[in-house]
Amino acid sequence: MAGEEFTLAKVFRDAKKHREIAGIITRYLQNRDDIRDMALDGLDLSGSKSILDLGCGFGFFTEALKGRVHAGAKITGIDRYPEYEWFYFQSCERAGLNADFRSNGIDHVRELDDNAYDLILCSYALYFFPEVIKDIARILKKDGVFVAITHASPHMPEFTSYVRSILKKNGLIITIDLPYETLINRFSDINGAEMLQANFNGVMSKDYKAKLSFGVDDHKDLVEYFNFKHSFFIPEIIDPDDELHHKVSSGIKEGLIKSKGLEITKNDVIFVCTGPH
Ligand SMILES: C[S@@+](CC[C@H](N)C(=O)[O-])C[C@H]1O[C@@H](n2cnc3c(N)ncnc32)[C@H](O)[C@@H]1O
């Protein structure tokens, strides 16, 4: 893996912080339906024994398998950071699943046998490695299922324009896509179905519509979210430790107070794929 997506993936090395930030997102999400249930409901996974979660992080998607898969199922989480292992095992324990964890990154998939997995999951990570879709189809059993959750594009557009306007106020006009826009566009609701159809006979999609709603007193959490993901919003050429970063953080706080809150569209899409070819 090389290039910008590699740089952006680095923010996830801090597994504990990633988990806290995921907690912030959940707290402010207005859609109370669990996207993982929406992705898995209607699938008969009772025979699924060999399972993978790609870019598993702390096991957000894996945990939703609780009670849905074969009692003897073994699930392997693959991530690029060993820092997730402990969290991943905790999630599997809560879900009553036999777990394994690989931290050698997505390239591990290339070494796996053909036609070997009943179920493969991937949430909010396929845009880092869309080039492995053909390997996912190769290692999935002919009657297996691949379920991917990803962001819809544009993702969080209100927040993007908010950050752009603060950058502009500070003399930086960015006309190109922000780093996270480039990342998400590698695999999204726009191009995802077509990319998957090249390797699967059946590709079904479901939309998950949601909003984040930050009130006037919630600036601490919004700034914390931004600070964690600053490299997603501020192009790499700008040193994140410099004054500008702090100006943007305080701009976010002041802006939220002034506008008495901020609603951010955060839509996702689910793809359920069968019939690998
Ligand atoms: C946004 S997080 C999603 C984590 C988890 N699937 C979830 O839904 O919470 C993206 C994850 O992909 C992982 N990742 C990024 N690039 C990767 C790569 N090349 N190989 C394996 N994992 C990768 C990151 O370390 C991170 O844990």
Side-chain angles (χ1 to χ4, degrees), residues 1 12 18 55-57 60 79-81 105-106 123-125 128-129:
M1 190 191 196
F12 296 111
H18 180 196
C56 61
F60 170 75
D79 205 275
R80 56 175 298 117
Y81 292 119
I106 199 63
S123 55
Y124 308 118
F128 284 111
F129 38 73

Side-chain angles (χ1 to χ4, degrees), residues 168-186:
K168 193 172 164 193
K169 265 188 213 146
N170 288 284
L172 197 83
I173 300 170
I174 299 180
T175 50
I176 53 166
D177 278 350
L178 298 184
Y180 93 96
E181 292 175 304
T182 308
L183 176 73
I184 284 169
N185 289 342
R186 286 160 53 86

Side-chain angles (χ1 to χ4, degrees), residues 1 5-6 9-10 12-13 18 22 53-61 78-81 84 102 104-107 122-129 131 151 229 232:
M1 190 191 196
E5 67 277 13
F6 173 71
K10 282 190 202 161
F12 296 111
R13 183 187 286 277
H18 180 196
D53 185 347
L54 310 176
C56 61
F58 46 79
F60 170 75
F61 205 176
I78 299 179
D79 205 275
R80 56 175 298 117
Y81 292 119
Y84 286 101
R102 299 295 162 110
N104 44 348
I106 199 63
D107 286 343
C122 184
S123 55
Y124 308 118
L126 201 51
Y127 35 71
F128 284 111
F129 38 73
E131 64 284 355
H151 295 312
K229 288 244 175 125
F232 279 54

Side-chain angles (χ1 to χ4, degrees), residues 51-62 75-80 88 101-102 105-110 112 117 119-130 132-137 139-140 145-149 200:
I51 308 171
L52 288 178
D53 185 347
L54 310 176
C56 61
F58 46 79
F60 170 75
F61 205 176
T62 290
I75 172 145
T76 305
I78 299 179
D79 205 275
R80 56 175 298 117
Y88 190 73
F101 179 85
R102 299 295 162 110
I106 199 63
D107 286 343
H108 179 64
V109 165
R110 301 188 204 282
L112 300 173
Y117 290 90
L119 174 64
I120 302 179
L121 306 177
C122 184
S123 55
Y124 308 118
L126 201 51
Y127 35 71
F128 284 111
F129 38 73
V132 302
I133 291 174
K134 62 177 184 313
D135 274 293
I136 296 172
I139 63 174
L140 191 69
V145 192
F146 171 49
V147 187
I149 298 177
F200 295 91

Side-chain angles (χ1 to χ4, degrees), residues 18-147:
H18 180 196
R19 184 146 199 151
E20 284 165 22
I21 297 299
I24 291 181
I25 297 291
T26 312
R27 265 205 309 286
Y28 292 99
L29 201 66
Q30 296 303 301
N31 187 340
R32 299 324 294 171
D33 294 335
D34 191 317
I35 191 165
R36 300 164 297 178
D37 290 338
M38 192 171 160
L40 300 172
D41 283 353
L43 298 176
D44 179 6
L45 304 175
S46 57
S48 297
K49 284 185 179 171
S50 48
I51 308 171
L52 288 178
D53 185 347
L54 310 176
C56 61
F58 46 79
F60 170 75
F61 205 176
T62 290
E63 200 167 340
L65 294 180
K66 183 174 184 173
R68 292 180 183 267
V69 294
H70 192 275
K74 180 171 165 206
I75 172 145
T76 305
I78 299 179
D79 205 275
R80 56 175 298 117
Y81 292 119
E83 285 80 353
Y84 286 101
E85 181 166 357
W86 183 85
F87 293 96
Y88 190 73
F89 278 103
Q90 294 279 312
S91 294
C92 289
E93 203 177 311
R94 283 194 295 274
L97 297 163
N98 298 316
D100 192 6
F101 179 85
R102 299 295 162 110
S103 60
N104 44 348
I106 199 63
D107 286 343
H108 179 64
V109 165
R110 301 188 204 282
E111 294 157 23
L112 300 173
D113 289 341
D114 294 2
N115 202 13
Y117 290 90
D118 298 303
L119 174 64
I120 302 179
L121 306 177
C122 184
S123 55
Y124 308 118
L126 201 51
Y127 35 71
F128 284 111
F129 38 73
E131 64 284 355
V132 302
I133 291 174
K134 62 177 184 313
D135 274 293
I136 296 172
R138 178 185 61 76
I139 63 174
L140 191 69
K141 287 186 186 167
K142 295 299 162 218
D143 59 352
V145 192
F146 171 49
V147 187

